[in-house]
Amino acid sequence: MALITGSEGFIGSHMVKFFHGHGWNVVGSYLLQGSASFPKLPNVEFVRCDLRNAQQVTKVITHYKPTHIFHLGAQSLPTVSWADPVGTFEANAMGSLYLFQAVRRLKRPPVVVSACSSAEYGTVPASAIPVTEKQPLQPLHPYGISKVCLDLLAREYFLDYNIPAVNVRLFNTTGPGKENDAPSDFVRQVVAIKKGRQAPVIEVGNLKPHRAFLDVNDAVRGFYLAAAKGKRGEAYNLCAARTYRMSEVLDVAIRLAGVKAEIRPVARLMRPSDEKIIFGSTQKIRKDTGWKPLLSFEQTLQSMIDYWHGVL
């Protein structure tokens, strides 16, 4: 049985469908949404659980006794972490501590795969790109710091209590259902233009940075293989195989949608600081698990176009 925390989230919702499709019994814990919004699937159950509440976390884990836990529940927006650092730590660091404490009490501890983040690396010098798991951690905001806490917690509980833990450090991940990242914003606008719901003007931020966008389905498969074949106590980068300049991402979205539009930079979409490139080495997870991305970035963008066509 797989327990998936944060099952109402972008990656969590895809993970529920993945494991259901592979014949697993699945329990999805959630915080923000009611169960009525979740798909009705056989052998899939959803349960409300606030990770900031130790009693709730313990109750869920001791009741279901999962063989695997995929820990995705978190406050995942760096911008929100600046506005609410205490809430971010309560959700990400303390929530993870409560989870590992509950797991520790089980006679047969499950495999725990935790969603960590490339934000743990902070600003990486050009000489260290693509960044490896050996890069020193130096996060810049409370979200990154709280993810470092989770990273260290998992390793310590593996060493001290023999809990089979694996950490996955996620880089930029996107796909159908994603919101509030550049690809989804581009695609939403081009689909709105295609359907005549927006003037042929696409508002953008900085188009110079390079990012490697991993398809959410490849990411979910990476978590699965990390659980099945990953070395316990280790951390693995999960990243796309190449980077794209943001202007390239926009060009591909426009071409796939078949629209013509004016590109208009706007101040509100510009960030005070934007790393020139975010790119992680995946040599370690490829070697240990055989994982590699299977979907091209064009396939990812096309699936996002199809998604927004159904939403707008």
Side-chain angles (χ1 to χ4, degrees):
M1 172 186 286
L3 169 64
I4 300 169
T5 69
S7 63
E8 79 271 37
F10 167 57
I11 297 176
S13 59
H14 282 272
M15 190 171 287
V16 167
K17 294 175 183 177
F18 174 90
F19 280 100
H20 168 260
H22 283 71
W24 288 52
N25 293 323
V26 178
V27 175
S29 78
Y30 67 93
L31 174 64
L32 297 178
Q33 295 177 273
S35 58
S37 65
F38 292 108
K40 306 296 183 182
L41 299 170
N43 302 320
V44 175
E45 182 178 351
F46 294 95
V47 58
R48 191 179 187 280
C49 180
D50 187 341
L51 293 173
R52 299 166 296 183
N53 186 312
Q55 290 182 330
Q56 286 186 25
V57 175
T58 300
K59 183 178 179 180
V60 168
I61 289 176
T62 55
H63 175 73
Y64 289 103
K65 296 180 176 62
T67 60
H68 295 73
I69 296 177
F70 295 90
H71 181 34
L72 305 173
Q75 191 299 100
S76 61
L77 297 175
T79 51
V80 175
S81 76
W82 281 119
D84 185 15
V86 173
T88 298
F89 269 85
E90 287 178 344
N92 298 2
M94 294 307 299
S96 300
L97 176 60
Y98 297 148
L99 183 144
F100 278 106
Q101 280 287 82
V103 165
R104 176 188 165 194
R105 298 187 183 102
L106 296 180
K107 291 183 178 179
R108 295 183 178 180
V111 175
V112 182
V113 183
S114 298
C116 297
S117 172
S118 63
E120 296 175 54
Y121 296 118
T123 300
V124 179
S127 60
I129 299 291
V131 59
T132 72
E133 292 85 352
K134 295 180 179 180
Q135 180 71 19
L137 305 180
Q138 49 172 352
L140 298 176
H141 40 68
Y143 169 69
I145 296 171
S146 66
K147 285 298 187 178
V148 170
C149 291
L150 168 55
D151 218 311
L152 296 175
L153 270 174
R155 179 166 174 77
E156 287 306 309
Y157 272 80
F158 164 72
L159 293 173
D160 294 344
Y161 304 110
N162 202 32
I163 293 173
V166 181
N167 291 333
V168 172
R169 294 175 183 166
L170 276 168
F171 284 70
N172 296 86
T173 303
T174 197
K178 177 71 174 180
E179 297 183 5
N180 299 316
D181 74 350
S184 65
D185 188 52
F186 294 163
V187 169
R188 177 184 54 78
Q189 292 189 74
V190 297
V191 171
I193 292 170
K194 183 80 171 181
K195 301 182 84 170
R197 299 189 177 185
Q198 176 176 320
V201 176
I202 300 175
E203 295 185 339
V204 302
N206 185 1
L207 295 179
K208 295 180 180 179
H210 287 74
R211 299 289 183 266
F213 289 101
L214 182 66
D215 189 286
V216 64
N217 294 289
D218 281 330
V220 167
R221 191 168 43 81
F223 275 86
Y224 170 71
L225 288 173
K229 299 181 179 181
K231 294 181 180 178
R232 305 323 185 206
E234 293 292 329
Y236 293 98
N237 288 341
L238 205 59
C239 184
R242 59 156 291 187
T243 64
Y244 286 85
R245 187 181 171 104
M246 295 310 302
S247 58
E248 292 181 88
V249 175
L250 178 57
D251 289 344
V252 175
I254 290 173
R255 175 171 57 80
L256 290 175
V259 300
K260 294 182 179 180
E262 173 193 345
I263 310 304
R264 182 180 297 171
V266 295
R268 62 181 172 80
L269 295 177
M270 300 292 179
R271 296 182 179 181
S273 62
D274 236 341
E275 295 97 331
K276 292 182 178 179
I277 181 169
I278 298 178
F279 186 36
S281 168
T282 55
Q283 182 177 353
K284 184 177 177 181
I285 193 169
R286 289 171 184 254
K287 178 177 179 291
D288 288 357
T289 74
W291 176 88
K292 64 179 181 179
L294 298 180
L295 297 166
S296 71
F297 189 50
E298 286 201 2
Q299 288 175 301
T300 301
L301 284 181
Q302 185 60 59
S303 69
M304 295 170 72
I305 288 172
D306 294 341
Y307 168 82
W308 282 107
H309 266 292
V311 170
L312 294 177

